Amino acid sequence: MSETIHEIAEETVTKAFLISADTGEFDAERSMDELEELAETAGVEVVGRCIQKRPAYDSATCIGSGRLTELAEEAQSMEIDILIFDCELTANQTKNIENITDIRVIDRTTLILDIFAQRAVSAEGRLQVELAQQKYRLAHLAGKGVALSRLGGGIGTRGPGESKLETDRRHIRRRIEALNAELADLERRRGLRRSRRKKDNVLTAAIVGYTNVGKSTLLNALTDAGVLAENKLFATLDITSRSIELPDGRSVLLTDTVGLIRRLPHNLVEAFKSTLEEAANSDIIINVTDISADDAREQAEVTEELLKELGCDGIPRINVLNKIDKLPDPENVPEDSNTVKISAKNKTGFDRLLKCIADNLPAQSVRGKFVIPYDKSGLLNQIRIDGKIFSEEYTENGTLIDALVDNRIYYLTEEYRV
């Protein structure tokens, strides 16, 4: 994409006006609140907003030419630099709106893509962002139409406008193919790493949830990961994994994933599937919700829908109710065997969280005390390789160990258990 909102905002304070057509498909007010957060995350100043009730989107101007003309006068008097629509506009709608208002126009998807472009750090993150951008560009290319086309058929009958359009389309399609190939190669490598982890019996936990609920703060607090954690939407987009030790002695690899929002554009979901698939391949899912948010239930539903789409139904889940410190009566919030209330910021509730993770993880090993005879040194070495020894002591009957023994070899050690 050409000049981003962020680049414009760096030069001067960019004033934005938000516009929505309320057709009754979703909660327009709540969606506009989120759009305002997105705009502020992109670095612009929101100075006004308008929700226009309509039975359906206007095919030419989204909200209707009459209302748009009124808004154009209002926006001009407020010296608005950019109009942001809370929907996905077609190329013709964008062109028509800009012609009427003489103000730059972007839609919700363009805004999200801009934020993603700012936030992606890793090579894979940047590739995924560019893929989403190129797919969006391909769908929104517009030619000059009749004005630059000629009648007739065959070689030499196309106008220069349409010829340029087809050239652009071919260029974008080639780039999309190249990006898909690069991402497929990265996904193969990720698959090999996953296979290696499974083979080595490494337990994995994926942290999922709505954007800005505190996933990165939680990962930092549990592991000192040093991941960027800001009070902004999509503060981080790249995968970060860190290992922690559970109360029963097992280690688990925690992985942070990209945050979710309402009405996340489909091409963005597709572009970030490989990141989100960490959840589908994990041993347990840690579903984080901002319990202090007014729409906490709705945020949880958005996450639940995507997890279903990824095929995560059979994976054990811990529901983490974060930001409990912001509630006036946190003791009134119930907990159960797989629901924990915490404050990632204040590092409270972590002991119960780690115990819940340990209790809900699939049993892959058994912790206990064993006296391994001295003539079974091979078994002792196998326990070291496949499990974990916390302490050992030499006795007259053999080596007394406190160990985590892998289920695959537990039958060999059962008779020596104290």
Side-chain angles (χ1 to χ4, degrees), residues 52-68:
Q52 178 69 22
K53 283 191 176 291
R54 290 187 57 86
Y57 293 109
D58 181 72
S59 60
T61 61
C62 185
I63 62 169
S65 56
R67 184 67 179 113
L68 189 63

Side-chain angles (χ1 to χ4, degrees), residues 184-229:
D185 185 48
L186 287 170
E187 179 54 31
R188 274 194 298 274
R189 288 186 221 166
R190 191 197 298 281
L192 288 171
R193 287 198 297 272
R194 284 192 197 120
S195 300
R196 171 57 63 185
R197 287 203 300 261
K198 293 290 181 190
K199 189 176 177 183
D200 293 343
N201 224 14
V202 176
L203 293 167
T204 57
I207 304 174
V208 302
Y210 213 72
T211 186
N212 208 25
V213 295
K215 299 188 304 300
S216 297
T217 304
L218 175 61
L219 184 67
N220 286 338
L222 286 171
T223 67
D224 297 321
V227 179
L228 175 67

Side-chain angles (χ1 to χ4, degrees), residues 127 175 177-189:
L127 285 173
R175 184 60 188 151
E177 286 173 12
L179 290 168
N180 277 325
E182 286 186 69
L183 283 169
D185 185 48
L186 287 170
E187 179 54 31
R188 274 194 298 274
R189 288 186 221 166

Side-chain angles (χ1 to χ4, degrees), residues 94-155:
T94 302
K95 183 176 68 176
N96 293 337
I97 295 166
E98 287 183 342
N99 287 340
I100 292 171
T101 63
D102 198 28
I103 300 172
R104 187 176 176 227
V105 174
I106 65 166
D107 60 16
R108 181 185 179 91
T109 303
T110 305
L111 178 62
I112 295 170
L113 282 170
D114 188 88
I115 296 167
F116 275 29
Q118 291 177 40
R119 301 287 176 174
V121 176
S122 71
E124 184 174 8
R126 287 195 293 269
L127 285 173
Q128 287 170 330
V129 169
E130 189 186 347
L131 178 61
Q133 287 175 326
Q134 296 290 359
K135 284 182 176 179
Y136 181 81
R137 284 182 63 201
L138 183 62
H140 289 76
L141 274 180
K144 298 297 183 182
V146 177
L148 289 178
S149 62
R150 299 183 189 132
L151 296 176
I155 297 170

Side-chain angles (χ1 to χ4, degrees), residues 369-370 372 379 405 409-418:
K369 291 189 176 181
F370 307 84
I372 307 298
L379 177 58
V405 179
I409 61 167
Y410 180 70
Y411 73 97
L412 297 173
T413 63
E414 199 167 5
E415 63 179 298
Y416 306 121
R417 185 161 186 171
V418 176

Side-chain angles (χ1 to χ4, degrees), residues 34 37-38 41 108 112 115-116 119 207-216 230-237 256-262 264 276 287-290 293 295 299-300 302-303 322-323:
E34 189 168 82
E37 277 191 81
L38 287 166
T41 298
R108 181 185 179 91
I112 295 170
I115 296 167
F116 275 29
R119 301 287 176 174
I207 304 174
V208 302
Y210 213 72
T211 186
N212 208 25
V213 295
K215 299 188 304 300
S216 297
E230 291 184 274
N231 187 25
K232 287 184 177 180
L233 303 187
F234 305 118
T236 180
L237 295 174
D256 194 8
T257 60
V258 65
L260 309 173
I261 61 167
R262 291 176 199 85
L264 185 66
L276 294 166
N287 186 4
V288 184
T289 303
D290 177 0
D295 58 341
Q299 290 184 9
V302 170
T303 307
N322 190 26
K323 306 188 184 182

Side-chain angles (χ1 to χ4, degrees), residues 306-364:
L306 187 62
L307 289 174
K308 250 180 218 175
E309 190 182 325
L310 292 170
C312 300
D313 287 347
I315 301 173
R317 197 163 310 173
I318 303 292
N319 298 310
V320 177
L321 310 179
N322 190 26
K323 306 188 184 182
I324 197 74
D325 53 299
K326 290 189 175 182
L327 295 184
D329 300 306
E331 61 278 356
N332 292 336
V333 178
E335 293 179 299
D336 55 38
S337 59
N338 66 342
T339 302
V340 188
K341 51 189 182 185
I342 68 161
S343 168
K345 181 182 175 184
N346 298 334
K347 299 186 179 182
T348 57
F350 283 7
D351 289 344
R352 189 168 185 280
L353 171 60
L354 294 177
K355 185 178 184 306
C356 267
I357 294 172
D359 291 347
N360 284 276
L361 269 171
Q364 292 181 307

